[in-house]
Amino acid sequence: MNNRQLFLQHVAQTSDAPLALEIVKAEGMYMWDADGKQYLDLIAGISVCNIGHCHPKVVKAIQEQAQTYMHLLVYGEFVQAPQVAYAKYLTDHLPASLNSVYFTNSGSEAVEGAMKLAKRHTGRTEIIAFKNSYHGSTQGSLSIIGDEYWRNAYRPLLPDVQHLSHNSMDMLSNITERTACVIAETIQGEAGVLAPQREWLQALRLRCTETGTLLILDEIQCGFGRNGTLWAFEQYDVVPDILLLGKALGGGMPLGAFIANRDVMWSLTNQPVLGHITTFGGHPVACAAGLAGMKALMEEDMMAGVVFKEKLFLELLKHPRIKAVRSRGLMLAVELEDFPANKKVIDHCIQQGVITDWFLFAPQCIRLVPPLIITEEEIRAACKIILAGLDTLVS
Ligand code: PMP
């Protein structure tokens, strides 16, 4: 059996139509398959590889840390320099109130930790989330995602969860002194790039403050320069009580985090002690990689071109089959009439050496979330292929 057949046989599948491309190398904007075919990556491993694949500084940091030490002990006991350095660097780049970082293995685990923290800190049980939001696939994070189709098969779900409409001022009164936390993606990703209205997000912040509810912003997908600023919330002049990070946080390695004020985080330390336990969370190699990656993002000024590149995509992506394009920096959703049309374009692009995808809750939209290092030339080449794909749709 070849690798593809072994993959289908022995690597658990949750899709009946996996892409099953065998990638043998990735670097910067590109990947190569087993036949040597080159692909331009327009999805960055779903918003992970914001600085491109295998950034040399990240590779070096991983090699050095792997030679120094790897796993030592479960989270939070030993002083591990890569964790300390990354927590310091992150908090140096966050509002002063967000000064305590709990590192996890994944985005979903960060969501779980944050919900637990909110319950412990407030002594309340109700969790409010939003329709069309995505927060992960573990039982708890799945319970709060805002899409019935994706969560229904896993009932009973976490109790005392309400889903409100995004951008609805009227619904803010549902947040009360019973509510432990409100969790929102700053920019909804899987819904197909839906941004909140500025006034609404600010009113949400205010309502949380009034009711003593913790505001959790999930920037697992939209953080790390994706929108042109390091954090998406900066563009709205709000500061969350808990910030959730993942995906690009690890520079290509698995890493998540929930970040809060130290006074709030302290609620996890007694009655019972060890309020969140993780064996591998904050793995030293992942933290070393993440720190090197974030430094590359900042020092190489990768966010500088994001707005220009977004505009270029918007300018080039004009076609009668496109119903709408929604974007926040280099996070774009190109809306077509339905999933079959989208799938046809995606397949055409892959065949032509451009990797793109759809969104979980917006299967009719092409996902364009490239590494931030994409060049003008690469954007032009990619859009040409996307437009040719759109031409193949029969009218
Ligand atoms: N929140 C958001 C906004 C996400 O996009 C994702 C992943 N797509 C998650 C949480 C869950 O992260 P993970 O898959 O690492 O558990």
Side-chain angles (χ1 to χ4, degrees), residues 46 105-109 111 134-138 141 185 187 189-190 218-222 246-247 255:
I46 316 294
N105 294 281
S106 66
S108 297
E109 191 195 352
V111 172
Y134 184 80
H135 298 293
S137 192
T138 53
S141 61
E185 288 174 88
I187 307 297
E190 295 309 317
D218 179 339
E219 299 218 356
I220 290 167
Q221 188 166 153
C222 63
K247 293 189 180 280
L255 192 64

PDB file of all heavy atoms in Angstrom, residues 46 105-109 111 134-138 141 185 187 189-190 218-222 246-247 255, ligand 1:
ATOM      1  N   ILE A  46      -5.254  26.910   8.199  1.00  0.00           N
ATOM      2  CA  ILE A  46      -6.381  27.555   8.907  1.00  0.00           C
ATOM      3  C   ILE A  46      -5.836  28.549   9.943  1.00  0.00           C
ATOM      4  O   ILE A  46      -5.957  28.355  11.171  1.00  0.00           O
ATOM      5  CB  ILE A  46      -7.378  26.546   9.548  1.00  0.00           C
ATOM      6  CG1 ILE A  46      -7.716  25.402   8.602  1.00  0.00           C
ATOM      7  CG2 ILE A  46      -8.642  27.259  10.020  1.00  0.00           C
ATOM      8  CD1 ILE A  46      -8.497  25.765   7.349  1.00  0.00           C
ATOM      9  N   ASN A 105      -2.667  23.235  25.235  1.00  0.00           N
ATOM     10  CA  ASN A 105      -2.227  22.519  24.030  1.00  0.00           C
ATOM     11  C   ASN A 105      -2.906  23.006  22.764  1.00  0.00           C
ATOM     12  O   ASN A 105      -2.411  22.810  21.671  1.00  0.00           O
ATOM     13  CB  ASN A 105      -2.562  21.033  24.147  1.00  0.00           C
ATOM     14  CG  ASN A 105      -1.776  20.369  25.235  1.00  0.00           C
ATOM     15  OD1 ASN A 105      -0.618  20.046  25.040  1.00  0.00           O
ATOM     16  ND2 ASN A 105      -2.391  20.180  26.387  1.00  0.00           N
ATOM     17  N   SER A 106      -4.111  23.535  22.919  1.00  0.00           N
ATOM     18  CA  SER A 106      -4.927  23.828  21.733  1.00  0.00           C
ATOM     19  C   SER A 106      -5.857  24.998  22.018  1.00  0.00           C
ATOM     20  O   SER A 106      -5.994  25.433  23.177  1.00  0.00           O
ATOM     21  CB  SER A 106      -5.786  22.606  21.390  1.00  0.00           C
ATOM     22  OG  SER A 106      -6.718  22.398  22.440  1.00  0.00           O
ATOM     23  N   GLY A 107      -6.537  25.427  20.969  1.00  0.00           N
ATOM     24  CA  GLY A 107      -7.537  26.473  21.125  1.00  0.00           C
ATOM     25  C   GLY A 107      -8.701  25.999  21.979  1.00  0.00           C
ATOM     26  O   GLY A 107      -9.139  26.695  22.905  1.00  0.00           O
ATOM     27  N   SER A 108      -9.191  24.803  21.683  1.00  0.00           N
ATOM     28  CA  SER A 108     -10.340  24.290  22.445  1.00  0.00           C
ATOM     29  C   SER A 108     -10.024  24.211  23.931  1.00  0.00           C
ATOM     30  O   SER A 108     -10.860  24.531  24.770  1.00  0.00           O
ATOM     31  CB  SER A 108     -10.721  22.884  21.973  1.00  0.00           C
ATOM     32  OG  SER A 108     -11.134  22.904  20.632  1.00  0.00           O
ATOM     33  N   GLU A 109      -8.810  23.800  24.252  1.00  0.00           N
ATOM     34  CA  GLU A 109      -8.464  23.680  25.675  1.00  0.00           C
ATOM     35  C   GLU A 109      -8.397  25.063  26.322  1.00  0.00           C
ATOM     36  O   GLU A 109      -8.728  25.217  27.501  1.00  0.00           O
ATOM     37  CB  GLU A 109      -7.124  22.935  25.850  1.00  0.00           C
ATOM     38  CG  GLU A 109      -6.891  22.560  27.307  1.00  0.00           C
ATOM     39  CD  GLU A 109      -5.456  22.144  27.619  1.00  0.00           C
ATOM     40  OE1 GLU A 109      -4.638  21.992  26.695  1.00  0.00           O
ATOM     41  OE2 GLU A 109      -5.159  21.981  28.822  1.00  0.00           O
ATOM     42  N   VAL A 111     -10.356  27.490  25.491  1.00  0.00           N
ATOM     43  CA  VAL A 111     -11.780  27.824  25.694  1.00  0.00           C
ATOM     44  C   VAL A 111     -12.283  27.135  26.973  1.00  0.00           C
ATOM     45  O   VAL A 111     -12.945  27.756  27.813  1.00  0.00           O
ATOM     46  CB  VAL A 111     -12.617  27.379  24.464  1.00  0.00           C
ATOM     47  CG1 VAL A 111     -14.106  27.539  24.723  1.00  0.00           C
ATOM     48  CG2 VAL A 111     -12.203  28.173  23.225  1.00  0.00           C
ATOM     49  N   TYR A 134     -17.668  29.958  16.421  1.00  0.00           N
ATOM     50  CA  TYR A 134     -16.961  28.680  16.535  1.00  0.00           C
ATOM     51  C   TYR A 134     -15.951  28.798  17.664  1.00  0.00           C
ATOM     52  O   TYR A 134     -15.191  29.766  17.734  1.00  0.00           O
ATOM     53  CB  TYR A 134     -16.221  28.324  15.231  1.00  0.00           C
ATOM     54  CG  TYR A 134     -15.580  26.955  15.338  1.00  0.00           C
ATOM     55  CD1 TYR A 134     -16.338  25.799  15.157  1.00  0.00           C
ATOM     56  CD2 TYR A 134     -14.238  26.803  15.685  1.00  0.00           C
ATOM     57  CE1 TYR A 134     -15.771  24.533  15.302  1.00  0.00           C
ATOM     58  CE2 TYR A 134     -13.670  25.535  15.831  1.00  0.00           C
ATOM     59  CZ  TYR A 134     -14.450  24.414  15.637  1.00  0.00           C
ATOM     60  OH  TYR A 134     -13.890  23.158  15.796  1.00  0.00           O
ATOM     61  N   HIS A 135     -15.957  27.800  18.554  1.00  0.00           N
ATOM     62  CA  HIS A 135     -14.991  27.840  19.655  1.00  0.00           C
ATOM     63  C   HIS A 135     -14.263  26.526  19.871  1.00  0.00           C
ATOM     64  O   HIS A 135     -13.484  26.424  20.819  1.00  0.00           O
ATOM     65  CB  HIS A 135     -15.682  28.267  20.952  1.00  0.00           C
ATOM     66  CG  HIS A 135     -16.272  29.643  20.896  1.00  0.00           C
ATOM     67  ND1 HIS A 135     -15.499  30.781  20.788  1.00  0.00           N
ATOM     68  CD2 HIS A 135     -17.561  30.070  20.893  1.00  0.00           C
ATOM     69  CE1 HIS A 135     -16.294  31.853  20.746  1.00  0.00           C
ATOM     70  NE2 HIS A 135     -17.547  31.447  20.800  1.00  0.00           N
ATOM     71  N   GLY A 136     -14.539  25.516  19.046  1.00  0.00           N
ATOM     72  CA  GLY A 136     -13.780  24.280  19.208  1.00  0.00           C
ATOM     73  C   GLY A 136     -14.649  23.049  19.184  1.00  0.00           C
ATOM     74  O   GLY A 136     -15.871  23.128  19.023  1.00  0.00           O
ATOM     75  N   SER A 137     -13.995  21.908  19.391  1.00  0.00           N
ATOM     76  CA  SER A 137     -14.663  20.639  19.154  1.00  0.00           C
ATOM     77  C   SER A 137     -14.662  19.703  20.358  1.00  0.00           C
ATOM     78  O   SER A 137     -15.126  18.574  20.269  1.00  0.00           O
ATOM     79  CB  SER A 137     -13.975  19.965  17.958  1.00  0.00           C
ATOM     80  OG  SER A 137     -14.715  18.888  17.486  1.00  0.00           O
ATOM     81  N   THR A 138     -14.150  20.150  21.499  1.00  0.00           N
ATOM     82  CA  THR A 138     -14.276  19.338  22.714  1.00  0.00           C
ATOM     83  C   THR A 138     -15.700  19.506  23.241  1.00  0.00           C
ATOM     84  O   THR A 138     -16.407  20.443  22.830  1.00  0.00           O
ATOM     85  CB  THR A 138     -13.268  19.801  23.784  1.00  0.00           C
ATOM     86  OG1 THR A 138     -13.437  21.211  23.978  1.00  0.00           O
ATOM     87  CG2 THR A 138     -11.839  19.520  23.345  1.00  0.00           C
ATOM     88  N   SER A 141     -16.432  23.156  24.594  1.00  0.00           N
ATOM     89  CA  SER A 141     -16.342  24.227  23.585  1.00  0.00           C
ATOM     90  C   SER A 141     -17.397  24.019  22.496  1.00  0.00           C
ATOM     91  O   SER A 141     -17.966  24.980  21.971  1.00  0.00           O
ATOM     92  CB  SER A 141     -14.933  24.299  22.989  1.00  0.00           C
ATOM     93  OG  SER A 141     -14.579  23.099  22.351  1.00  0.00           O
ATOM     94  N   GLU A 185     -16.123  35.536  19.460  1.00  0.00           N
ATOM     95  CA  GLU A 185     -14.959  35.717  18.592  1.00  0.00           C
ATOM     96  C   GLU A 185     -14.941  37.201  18.237  1.00  0.00           C
ATOM     97  O   GLU A 185     -15.985  37.748  17.851  1.00  0.00           O
ATOM     98  CB  GLU A 185     -15.147  34.948  17.289  1.00  0.00           C
ATOM     99  CG  GLU A 185     -15.039  33.458  17.368  1.00  0.00           C
ATOM    100  CD  GLU A 185     -15.410  32.836  16.012  1.00  0.00           C
ATOM    101  OE1 GLU A 185     -14.537  32.684  15.169  1.00  0.00           O
ATOM    102  OE2 GLU A 185     -16.589  32.517  15.815  1.00  0.00           O
ATOM    103  N   ILE A 187     -13.678  38.589  15.647  1.00  0.00           N
ATOM    104  CA  ILE A 187     -14.198  38.496  14.275  1.00  0.00           C
ATOM    105  C   ILE A 187     -14.635  37.046  14.096  1.00  0.00           C
ATOM    106  O   ILE A 187     -13.832  36.140  14.291  1.00  0.00           O
ATOM    107  CB  ILE A 187     -13.094  38.798  13.229  1.00  0.00           C
ATOM    108  CG1 ILE A 187     -12.402  40.143  13.500  1.00  0.00           C
ATOM    109  CG2 ILE A 187     -13.657  38.738  11.808  1.00  0.00           C
ATOM    110  CD1 ILE A 187     -13.283  41.355  13.407  1.00  0.00           C
ATOM    111  N   GLY A 189     -14.944  33.760  12.504  1.00  0.00           N
ATOM    112  CA  GLY A 189     -14.213  33.149  11.395  1.00  0.00           C
ATOM    113  C   GLY A 189     -15.047  32.154  10.616  1.00  0.00           C
ATOM    114  O   GLY A 189     -15.355  32.368   9.437  1.00  0.00           O
ATOM    115  N   GLU A 190     -15.433  31.064  11.271  1.00  0.00           N
ATOM    116  CA  GLU A 190     -16.116  29.987  10.546  1.00  0.00           C
ATOM    117  C   GLU A 190     -17.471  30.409   9.986  1.00  0.00           C
ATOM    118  O   GLU A 190     -18.031  29.747   9.123  1.00  0.00           O
ATOM    119  CB  GLU A 190     -16.242  28.740  11.422  1.00  0.00           C
ATOM    120  CG  GLU A 190     -14.909  28.106  11.797  1.00  0.00           C
ATOM    121  CD  GLU A 190     -13.999  27.855  10.611  1.00  0.00           C
ATOM    122  OE1 GLU A 190     -14.483  27.380   9.570  1.00  0.00           O
ATOM    123  OE2 GLU A 190     -12.790  28.162  10.707  1.00  0.00           O
ATOM    124  N   ASP A 218     -12.377  35.523  21.885  1.00  0.00           N
ATOM    125  CA  ASP A 218     -11.675  34.415  21.243  1.00  0.00           C
ATOM    126  C   ASP A 218     -10.975  34.960  19.997  1.00  0.00           C
ATOM    127  O   ASP A 218     -11.622  35.310  19.007  1.00  0.00           O
ATOM    128  CB  ASP A 218     -12.715  33.328  20.885  1.00  0.00           C
ATOM    129  CG  ASP A 218     -12.105  32.121  20.187  1.00  0.00           C
ATOM    130  OD1 ASP A 218     -11.005  32.254  19.631  1.00  0.00           O
ATOM    131  OD2 ASP A 218     -12.763  31.062  20.167  1.00  0.00           O
ATOM    132  N   GLU A 219      -9.645  35.066  20.088  1.00  0.00           N
ATOM    133  CA  GLU A 219      -8.848  35.518  18.934  1.00  0.00           C
ATOM    134  C   GLU A 219      -7.954  34.381  18.442  1.00  0.00           C
ATOM    135  O   GLU A 219      -6.860  34.609  17.910  1.00  0.00           O
ATOM    136  CB  GLU A 219      -8.049  36.770  19.298  1.00  0.00           C
ATOM    137  CG  GLU A 219      -8.940  37.925  19.684  1.00  0.00           C
ATOM    138  CD  GLU A 219      -8.464  39.285  19.192  1.00  0.00           C
ATOM    139  OE1 GLU A 219      -7.378  39.378  18.604  1.00  0.00           O
ATOM    140  OE2 GLU A 219      -9.219  40.260  19.397  1.00  0.00           O
ATOM    141  N   ILE A 220      -8.447  33.179  18.635  1.00  0.00           N
ATOM    142  CA  ILE A 220      -7.677  32.006  18.214  1.00  0.00           C
ATOM    143  C   ILE A 220      -7.459  32.042  16.704  1.00  0.00           C
ATOM    144  O   ILE A 220      -6.377  31.724  16.216  1.00  0.00           O
ATOM    145  CB  ILE A 220      -8.409  30.725  18.687  1.00  0.00           C
ATOM    146  CG1 ILE A 220      -8.302  30.634  20.217  1.00  0.00           C
ATOM    147  CG2 ILE A 220      -7.888  29.477  17.993  1.00  0.00           C
ATOM    148  CD1 ILE A 220      -9.213  29.623  20.878  1.00  0.00           C
ATOM    149  N   GLN A 221      -8.474  32.479  15.983  1.00  0.00           N
ATOM    150  CA  GLN A 221      -8.343  32.551  14.522  1.00  0.00           C
ATOM    151  C   GLN A 221      -7.973  33.948  14.025  1.00  0.00           C
ATOM    152  O   GLN A 221      -7.233  34.091  13.065  1.00  0.00           O
ATOM    153  CB  GLN A 221      -9.655  32.087  13.865  1.00  0.00           C
ATOM    154  CG  GLN A 221      -9.541  31.958  12.373  1.00  0.00           C
ATOM    155  CD  GLN A 221     -10.679  31.187  11.705  1.00  0.00           C
ATOM    156  OE1 GLN A 221     -10.961  31.426  10.551  1.00  0.00           O
ATOM    157  NE2 GLN A 221     -11.334  30.262  12.383  1.00  0.00           N
ATOM    158  N   CYS A 222      -8.479  34.974  14.671  1.00  0.00           N
ATOM    159  CA  CYS A 222      -8.305  36.323  14.101  1.00  0.00           C
ATOM    160  C   CYS A 222      -7.140  37.089  14.713  1.00  0.00           C
ATOM    161  O   CYS A 222      -6.836  38.199  14.269  1.00  0.00           O
ATOM    162  CB  CYS A 222      -9.602  37.125  14.221  1.00  0.00           C
ATOM    163  SG  CYS A 222     -10.113  37.421  15.918  1.00  0.00           S
ATOM    164  N   GLY A 246      -4.538  30.817  20.123  1.00  0.00           N
ATOM    165  CA  GLY A 246      -4.199  29.466  19.674  1.00  0.00           C
ATOM    166  C   GLY A 246      -3.621  29.592  18.286  1.00  0.00           C
ATOM    167  O   GLY A 246      -3.050  30.629  17.926  1.00  0.00           O
ATOM    168  N   LYS A 247      -3.778  28.559  17.497  1.00  0.00           N
ATOM    169  CA  LYS A 247      -3.355  28.580  16.090  1.00  0.00           C
ATOM    170  C   LYS A 247      -1.972  29.224  15.886  1.00  0.00           C
ATOM    171  O   LYS A 247      -0.973  28.585  16.164  1.00  0.00           O
ATOM    172  CB  LYS A 247      -4.424  29.246  15.244  1.00  0.00           C
ATOM    173  CG  LYS A 247      -5.711  28.395  15.199  1.00  0.00           C
ATOM    174  CD  LYS A 247      -6.704  28.918  14.216  1.00  0.00           C
ATOM    175  CE  LYS A 247      -7.971  28.102  14.155  1.00  0.00           C
ATOM    176  NZ  LYS A 247      -7.870  26.886  13.364  1.00  0.00           N
ATOM    177  N   LEU A 255      -0.137  24.981  20.364  1.00  0.00           N
ATOM    178  CA  LEU A 255      -0.107  25.816  21.573  1.00  0.00           C
ATOM    179  C   LEU A 255      -1.374  26.667  21.622  1.00  0.00           C
ATOM    180  O   LEU A 255      -1.830  27.171  20.598  1.00  0.00           O
ATOM    181  CB  LEU A 255       1.130  26.738  21.520  1.00  0.00           C
ATOM    182  CG  LEU A 255       1.511  27.477  22.798  1.00  0.00           C
ATOM    183  CD1 LEU A 255       1.910  26.510  23.907  1.00  0.00           C
ATOM    184  CD2 LEU A 255       2.680  28.438  22.548  1.00  0.00           C
TER     185      LEU A 255
HETATM  186  N1  PMP B   1     -11.838  29.213  18.401  1.00  0.00           N
HETATM  187  C1  PMP B   1     -11.745  29.618  17.132  1.00  0.00           C
HETATM  188  C2  PMP B   1     -12.212  30.983  16.765  1.00  0.00           C
HETATM  189  C3  PMP B   1     -11.227  28.761  16.156  1.00  0.00           C
HETATM  190  O1  PMP B   1     -11.159  29.171  14.888  1.00  0.00           O
HETATM  191  C4  PMP B   1     -10.778  27.475  16.545  1.00  0.00           C
HETATM  192  C5  PMP B   1     -10.187  26.510  15.536  1.00  0.00           C
HETATM  193  N2  PMP B   1     -10.674  26.602  14.255  1.00  0.00           N
HETATM  194  C6  PMP B   1     -10.883  27.105  17.903  1.00  0.00           C
HETATM  195  C7  PMP B   1     -11.409  28.001  18.796  1.00  0.00           C
HETATM  196  C8  PMP B   1     -10.446  25.732  18.374  1.00  0.00           C
HETATM  197  O2  PMP B   1      -9.075  25.567  18.270  1.00  0.00           O
HETATM  198  P1  PMP B   1      -8.445  24.100  18.200  1.00  0.00           P
HETATM  199  O3  PMP B   1      -8.871  23.486  16.901  1.00  0.00           O
HETATM  200  O4  PMP B   1      -6.956  24.343  18.295  1.00  0.00           O
HETATM  201  O5  PMP B   1      -8.942  23.343  19.357  1.00  0.00           O
END
